[in-house]
Amino acid sequence: FIVITSLTFGMLQSVGLGLGASTLVFVASFYRAGVVKFIANGLTIRSTIERNCEDSLWLCQHADMIQLLVLQNYLFFGNAVSC
């Protein structure tokens, strides 16, 4: 298809078509993969940072309110809402 475009419209237009097609293939492949690798909360994952007793107690009491999203791949406008 790009060769036909090159013969019909010229080299510059075919390069532009190739860049556009490769961009669409790139975005489509990452859109299907998803952005969220896994979801956890403060009950399942603990921090390795050493904190004072007051902060550690607060984290233990509110661990169910802490949400952790581990992301992967690139974020686009289309797949950022599809998690």
Side-chain angles (χ1 to χ4, degrees), residues 1 42 53 55 74:
F1 183 71
C53 292
D55 292 340
Y74 297 99

Side-chain angles (χ1 to χ4, degrees), residues 19 28 37 58:
L19 284 173
K37 190 171 187 178
W58 189 92

Side-chain angles (χ1 to χ4, degrees), residues 32-43:
R32 280 185 252 120
V35 295
V36 178
K37 190 171 187 178
F38 68 88
I39 300 173
N41 62 21
L43 297 171

Side-chain angles (χ1 to χ4, degrees), residues 33-83:
V35 295
V36 178
K37 190 171 187 178
F38 68 88
I39 300 173
N41 62 21
L43 297 171
T44 57
I45 293 181
R46 300 296 304 218
S47 174
T48 59
I49 303 295
E50 291 186 20
R51 293 183 168 83
N52 61 32
C53 292
E54 182 180 317
D55 292 340
S56 295
L57 181 63
W58 189 92
L59 287 174
C60 288
Q61 291 173 348
H62 298 94
D64 59 332
M65 296 173 39
I66 300 169
Q67 293 295 311
L68 176 71
L69 296 174
V70 177
L71 304 178
Q72 65 182 357
N73 294 333
Y74 297 99
L75 294 177
F76 297 108
F77 292 108
N79 67 353
V81 294
S82 66
C83 24

Side-chain angles (χ1 to χ4, degrees), residues 8-26:
T8 306
F9 297 108
M11 185 60 78
L12 185 60
Q13 288 80 5
S14 64
V15 169
L17 180 66
L19 284 173
S22 64
T23 301
L24 287 176
V25 168
F26 175 77

